Amino acid sequence: MNRHEYMCQAIELACENVKEKGGRPFGAVIVKDGDVVATGVNEVMETHDPTTHAEMQAIRAASRALQTADLSDCVLFASGEPCPMCLSAIYWANIKDVYYSYTEEDAAQIGLSTKYVYEQIALPKEERDIHLRRMDKRAFASDPFALWKKRET
């Protein structure tokens, strides 16, 4: 298969998700060495879980199938431009090549824009709509970071 065929598969997954499950129009395919190792569709409507985007589902499935969190030797094909959450997961999975077809602007035209989230992330913490409030770590008896560091030595 080639890039066009992988993208066709991602788009067809998105179409099937809308037609068969009433889900959102997003599909993703992860490829390693020319083989499809995982696919995913947006399951937010079905699961009531806002993290079940197509790319997230495909990354989870690929990590399980390959028994690794490092997908640096994989390529991701997503029907739509990855949202900030999915893009973060792509970074965490070390995926270096991502292809997408429908843009953020296309998604905005059907009421599925992620522009607000991108704008919020770009703001300084104190200007965001979500308030991050730090609680001093010294106030707690347990220290998971120290445990992690000790484990590695």
Side-chain angles (χ1 to χ4, degrees):
M1 290 179 74
N2 60 39
R3 287 191 302 248
H4 179 81
E5 292 169 312
Y6 295 127
M7 185 58 73
C8 283
Q9 185 176 355
I11 291 170
E12 189 54 36
L13 284 167
C15 289
E16 288 173 14
N17 196 45
V18 172
K19 290 187 279 189
E20 295 175 16
K21 295 181 180 178
R24 292 181 177 167
F26 300 101
V29 174
I30 295 182
V31 177
K32 178 182 178 182
D33 299 327
D35 294 320
V36 173
V37 295
T39 64
V41 295
N42 184 298
E43 296 179 339
V44 171
M45 304 297 286
E46 183 180 341
T47 64
H48 309 290
D49 178 347
T51 69
T52 56
H53 289 198
E55 299 93 331
M56 300 290 284
Q57 297 295 73
I59 288 169
R60 289 174 180 136
S63 294
R64 283 190 302 269
L66 299 173
Q67 293 293 293
T68 181
D70 181 2
L71 303 179
S72 57
D73 51 358
C74 295
V75 178
L76 173 68
F77 294 85
S79 61
E81 185 173 352
C83 74
M85 175 183 65
C86 293
L87 186 58
S88 295
I90 290 164
Y91 273 102
W92 283 112
N94 296 313
I95 298 172
K96 304 297 184 220
D97 292 306
V98 178
Y99 295 89
Y100 67 92
S101 185
Y102 291 84
T103 66
E104 152 57 32
E105 292 78 16
D106 294 326
Q109 291 178 4
I110 60 167
L112 296 173
S113 176
T114 59
K115 185 178 178 183
Y116 166 77
V117 180
Y118 274 112
E119 290 170 347
Q120 285 289 304
I121 290 170
L123 292 172
K125 288 179 191 175
E126 60 276 359
E127 293 179 28
R128 294 178 189 162
D129 289 344
I130 294 175
H131 306 286
L132 298 175
R133 296 179 178 97
R134 183 173 181 267
M135 295 177 68
D136 192 340
K137 64 186 178 193
R138 294 173 293 184
F140 305 98
S142 298
D143 185 344
F145 283 27
L147 288 173
W148 179 261
K149 186 174 180 180
K150 183 178 179 181
R151 183 191 67 84
E152 288 192 333
T153 57

